[in-house]
Amino acid sequence: MEDQAIVELYWSRDQQAITASDEKYGSLCRTLSHHIVLSWEDADECVNDTWHRAWTTMPPQRPDSLRAYLCRIVRNLSIDCWRRKGRQKRDSSLEILLGELEDCLPAVSDPAYLTEEQETASVIDRWLDTLPREDRKLFLRRYWYGDPVDQLARAVDWTPNRMAQKLRRLRLSLKKTLEKEGISL
């Protein structure tokens, strides 16, 4: 089923919207959530909460990209779950992801900095648009979807070390772009 048809089901309050969402994006959402919470049981709970959140936010929301909308919801719910469960251990995959990006992203979460965060997001979007398609996919798969480095390496038939170096170069490029745009890190 096409995304717009699924959104229309949400808008018409047809429960088939949840079934269609799960059929089309359930696997993606579960995998994304699992990369964060490191538990299939917690991931399933986050995905179920995602369908509920989608149900309660459409309407008034009418997402242009249902995939991105659902992924954003499940990612945020999964991070909240990770925090609730106290999974902030040094060996946590989310802790590793955050550590990798720490040097190239400002660490502000104060509402007073909302404008700066939006500006940072805009610069990152423009930076992503300058990347070759494959580099953009690798960056997003690692830092948005949380795919492990070894999984990314296998997907493109590289060694994990080569993939780690590629991701490092991408992070350095992002850092340089942010600094050039005057965003303090």
Side-chain angles (χ1 to χ4, degrees):
M1 182 177 289
E2 293 296 318
D3 285 1
Q4 288 309 90
I6 297 171
V7 170
E8 288 304 321
L9 289 173
Y10 279 106
W11 272 69
S12 64
R13 312 312 290 160
D14 185 335
Q15 290 190 358
Q16 180 62 27
I18 294 171
T19 304
S21 296
D22 191 52
E23 287 173 1
K24 189 163 185 181
Y25 296 114
S27 178
L28 171 66
C29 289
R30 279 179 191 78
T31 300
L32 170 56
S33 182
H34 183 262
H35 286 160
I36 295 169
V37 298
L38 303 177
S39 159
W40 288 111
E41 186 177 296
D42 290 340
D44 284 338
E45 183 180 328
C46 290
V47 170
N48 288 334
D49 290 347
T50 297
W51 307 146
H52 180 263
R53 180 78 50 92
W55 182 263
T56 60
T57 58
M58 287 188 280
Q61 299 290 320
R62 187 180 289 274
D64 292 328
S65 169
L66 182 61
R67 180 179 193 262
Y69 187 76
L70 295 173
C71 284
R72 186 187 66 197
I73 292 172
V74 76
R75 185 174 189 273
N76 290 339
L77 289 170
S78 298
I79 290 170
D80 290 346
C81 176
W82 176 78
R83 286 181 178 140
R84 266 193 326 275
K85 299 275 183 174
R87 301 234 170 147
Q88 297 180 356
K89 299 176 184 173
R90 289 188 181 270
D91 60 346
S92 162
S93 63
L94 184 57
E95 198 63 29
I96 292 168
L97 278 173
L98 295 175
E100 288 177 6
L101 288 174
E102 191 173 75
D103 291 337
C104 63
L105 290 178
V108 292
S109 58
D110 187 318
Y113 294 101
L114 182 58
T115 302
E116 185 176 336
E117 289 177 354
Q118 290 172 335
E119 182 182 331
T120 301
S122 178
V123 171
I124 292 170
D125 283 343
R126 288 192 309 270
W127 173 77
L128 284 168
D129 287 342
T130 68
L131 295 178
R133 186 178 203 280
E134 290 305 312
D135 287 355
R136 183 172 47 247
K137 283 174 53 178
L138 288 174
F139 190 86
L140 290 174
R141 283 187 61 190
R142 177 67 180 142
Y143 299 111
W144 179 257
Y145 295 106
D147 288 358
V149 172
D150 59 336
Q151 182 180 335
L152 289 173
R154 279 192 307 273
V156 294
D157 200 27
W158 288 0
T159 65
N161 187 47
R162 182 177 177 195
M163 179 57 68
Q165 289 303 313
K166 177 65 166 180
L167 292 168
R168 180 179 171 278
R169 285 191 300 274
L170 288 170
R171 289 191 312 272
L172 289 173
S173 171
L174 174 58
K175 181 179 180 180
K176 183 178 176 182
T177 298
L178 290 169
E179 288 171 345
K180 182 179 174 185
E181 292 287 330
I183 295 175
S184 56
L185 304 179

